Each structure stands twice: as structure tokens, then as C-alpha cells.
Amino acid sequence: MKVSVIGCGNIAATHVNALSKLNNIQLVAFVDTDFEKAEKMASEYMAEAYSDYRKMLDEIKPDSVHICTPHYLHKEMSLACLSKNINVICEKPCVILPEELPELIKAQNESDAVYGVCLQNRYNDSVKQAIKVIRAQDLGRIIGIKGNVLWKRDIKYYSDSWHGKLKLEGGGTLINQAIHTLDLMSYIVGKEPEYVTGHIFNDNFRGLIETEDTVGARLDYGDGLIGILNATTGFSTDANAEITVYMEKGEILISALDAYLKDEEGNIKKISSVQNEEIIGKAYWGSGHISLIRDFYSSIEEGEKFSIDAYEAAKVMKVIWSIYESSKSGETIKI
């Protein structure tokens, strides 16, 4: 299968690393507006380099494309690929504005291609094993869930052409970093929140960036089940993101690589295991990229929709936009 990568920044290397572990994949082209970046990656894989992704689509005619570009380009590039029936796996977020979502869903519905969004933490072994325990109901029902994301992004991170710029990034910590934990919270609970109350702040680089670096949100899932999200990129280091699931008869702590069960007596048991070869990119991201990308290509081979398509990825986006709306209005928002 001929595969092209659009965008040659840090996350592209993670995708390429995962692709290198799959069979029957031929990397044929790399695209970046910084042509030197495209040339460098292309030379490593004996592929073609481009600065114009539309020219690449017309000339290379790839079977599949990985979109690893700044957020504001995701919709435009996804639509261009889907219109040519080229399979797409797009980095999160799939879109940055609510009005873009219907366009993406329409394009997906009208295309013969498979569309997927990279919400890879659903594939972390820690998450999969925790969900097995939760679904077995030995600990009773979920009564609460908490997500913490404490990462560090310095001013150099915001010195490029798009990070920290509202129209290009769509937001800050919430839409870029905390999106994975927010997605997992609803994925673990098994439903989206009915109401959200959110607050966003710029505590670290006030006046230097347009987006938030700190987020707090209360998620009401109904039936008394409350979720709390705390996230910041103003911490002193990149700590593992953590989710704690509070259940009637115990707790489950889920981090990027590990999951632990704590029963009513306070006994703690590790319930997940990750091999080093499964970790690509940064460890605090988790270990889900390889499994997600492998599953995406299995979907193509089997002629099936990918599990995290535009419809599924839209769920967390609606929560994100509601948190932003709540912070702006000061009101609780019904989703």
C-alpha cells in the first residue's frame, strides 16, 4: 500500500515509526511547506518530497495519507483526500470549529475511502485492561471519574508559526493536550456528559500567547456520575496523565503505561503490562500509536469503517467546544 505523510514535524516521526512496523506499507512521499524537512524524511525512505500536498495527491496518487500538520489544515486536507477516495488518518483534532464538522462528516459519507482520527490513547494497554475490569462489574458501577494532565510547554514551543495562535490552533491545552484524557473519560464511562461547566486560563504566558494553558471542567454524565478534568501545560515537567475511576467497591488508576486496581480493603494490584517495543514517541503519551495505526490499515483491508471516524471523533470535540463556551459565558452548558 502506497502511503504519504503530510507534515514532517515531531508527530510525523511517530507515525512513520509505527508504519515501519507494519507489513505491505510503502512510504512514497513526504510533504511539508518547509521543503527541507520533507526532503530529509523522504531521503531516509527513498520517497518523493513535496511542498504542495495537492500536487503530491495528483502525481503520487497514494492509497493512504497521514495528516500530521497544524490543526487549522486538518479539515481542508481531509476533504481533499476524501474527495479523491484516498484513505486518511488525521491527527487530532479532526476540525477546530463547530461549523467545519458537518463538512467533514459529509465528505466521509460521500467517499469510498476509510477515514480515521488519531485518538490513540484508547489503544493503550492500561486503558484496555481497565475497561475489562470495569465492564466485568466486580467493583460495581462507576460513581465518579477524574482526569489530570500536568505537562510542560515552554515559550520555545510557542515560537513556531501556529502554536498559541487561536485561529490556527483552535485553542490551547484543552484542544491540543487534554483532548486525549477528555476523550478517554467519556470512553471509559461509556457515554458523553450531558452538561459541562468549564474554566480556561492563561497563567503561564499571559500576553505572549492567545490560547489557554490551564483548564478546569466539571462533567455531569447524569445519574449522579460526575467527572472532573484538571489540565495545564504550565507544570515543571511532563508527568504521566492520570485518570482515576471511582467505583462502588474500589478504584482504578490509569496512567499512560500502567493501570492499578485498588479494592475496598486498600489492596493494590497492577492490571496492565507494556513492552518497551510498543512505546514510540514520548512515554507519557502512552503506547497506543502502533495499535491504532495497525487497526486502521486492518479496517482498509477488510473494507470496514474505522472505529474512530468523523462521527466518533466529533464526540470529544463537542465537549471541548462546550467547555470553551461555558468558560466564556460563565454558564453551565447542555451538550
Side-chain angles (χ1 to χ4, degrees):
M1 184 175 292
K2 296 193 301 181
V3 178
S4 298
V5 177
I6 306 177
C8 297
N10 291 334
I11 197 62
T14 300
H15 281 247
V16 171
N17 194 335
L19 285 165
S20 69
K21 300 180 185 300
L22 305 185
N23 296 323
N24 303 317
I25 296 294
Q26 179 188 5
L27 284 160
V28 293
F30 290 86
V31 185
D32 201 288
T33 52
D34 184 340
F35 189 62
E36 288 185 4
K37 286 185 177 180
E39 278 189 311
K40 182 178 179 181
M41 293 195 80
S43 66
E44 294 178 23
Y45 295 92
M46 299 181 66
E48 297 293 326
Y50 286 85
S51 59
D52 185 334
Y53 81 92
R54 292 185 183 276
K55 183 178 180 182
M56 182 277 294
L57 295 179
D58 290 337
E59 293 184 358
I60 297 293
K61 296 179 172 58
D63 299 305
S64 182
V65 164
H66 288 237
I67 297 175
C68 301
T69 58
H71 296 176
Y72 71 100
L73 294 169
H74 289 182
K75 186 212 72 171
E76 168 197 313
M77 292 177 171
S78 293
L79 266 56
C81 293
L82 290 171
S83 69
K84 295 178 180 293
N85 294 318
I86 296 171
N87 302 300
V88 181
I89 184 161
C90 182
E91 263 299 327
K92 54 70 188 170
C94 55
V95 296
I96 61 173
L97 298 172
E99 56 266 31
E100 295 177 329
L101 191 54
E103 294 180 74
L104 178 62
I105 290 174
K106 182 175 183 289
Q108 176 183 281
N109 290 343
E110 293 177 350
S111 179
D112 293 329
V114 175
Y115 183 77
V117 180
C118 203
L119 292 170
Q120 76 281 349
N121 284 7
R122 294 188 183 194
Y123 287 81
N124 288 348
D125 186 67
S126 56
V127 173
K128 292 189 287 186
Q129 298 306 321
I131 287 177
K132 283 183 182 179
V133 172
I134 292 167
R135 300 295 182 259
Q137 297 186 327
D138 292 336
L139 298 179
R141 66 182 180 88
I142 300 174
I143 58 176
I145 187 166
K146 175 182 69 180
N148 286 327
V149 182
L150 306 177
W151 290 353
K152 177 184 179 180
R153 296 293 182 269
D154 58 23
I155 196 62
K156 183 180 178 181
Y157 175 81
Y158 296 103
S159 65
D160 62 14
S161 62
W162 66 283
H163 284 113
K165 297 175 176 61
L166 187 58
K167 288 185 177 180
L168 304 184
E169 194 173 8
T173 296
L174 179 59
I175 200 171
N176 199 345
Q177 285 82 25
I179 182 173
H180 292 293
T181 298
L182 185 62
D183 174 65
L184 285 184
M185 290 171 71
S186 295
Y187 184 60
I188 290 166
V189 168
K191 59 181 177 179
E192 305 307 306
E194 298 176 8
Y195 298 89
V196 300
T197 307
H199 309 276
I200 67 170
F201 309 93
N202 184 345
D203 292 334
N204 197 25
F205 295 120
R206 194 171 302 163
L208 299 177
I209 63 174
E210 300 171 358
T211 57
E212 81 283 352
D213 61 24
T214 302
V215 181
R218 183 180 188 272
L219 315 169
D220 185 342
Y221 291 93
D223 299 321
L225 201 170
I226 300 298
I228 297 294
L229 173 71
N230 298 302
T232 184
T233 49
F235 196 46
S236 52
T237 189
D238 291 315
N240 280 330
E242 294 182 340
I243 292 176
T244 305
V245 185
Y246 298 89
M247 308 189 71
E248 291 175 308
K249 301 176 184 178
E251 300 174 10
I252 298 177
L253 176 64
I254 307 165
S255 69
L257 301 179
D258 301 310
Y260 296 88
L261 183 156
K262 181 179 179 182
D263 64 22
E264 288 181 294
E265 286 72 42
N267 300 309
I268 298 175
K269 175 184 176 183
K270 187 175 180 179
I271 58 174
S272 69
S273 177
V274 176
Q275 304 301 316
N276 287 336
E277 58 268 21
E278 297 177 55
I279 304 171
I280 59 175
K282 298 172 182 176
Y284 68 90
W285 286 352
S287 60
H289 279 97
I290 296 174
S291 295
L292 180 143
I293 291 172
R294 182 183 292 118
D295 193 27
F296 176 76
Y297 283 98
S298 293
S299 297
I300 295 173
E301 290 175 6
E302 295 167 8
E304 299 178 351
K305 287 184 177 181
F306 183 55
S307 60
I308 312 176
D309 63 359
Y311 287 100
E312 189 65 20
K315 294 178 180 178
V316 70
M317 295 311 305
K318 291 175 182 177
V319 180
I320 285 171
W321 292 324
S322 295
I323 292 172
Y324 283 138
E325 183 182 349
S326 174
S327 182
K328 184 178 181 179
S329 68
E331 303 291 333
T332 295
I333 303 298
K334 185 180 189 304
I335 298 180

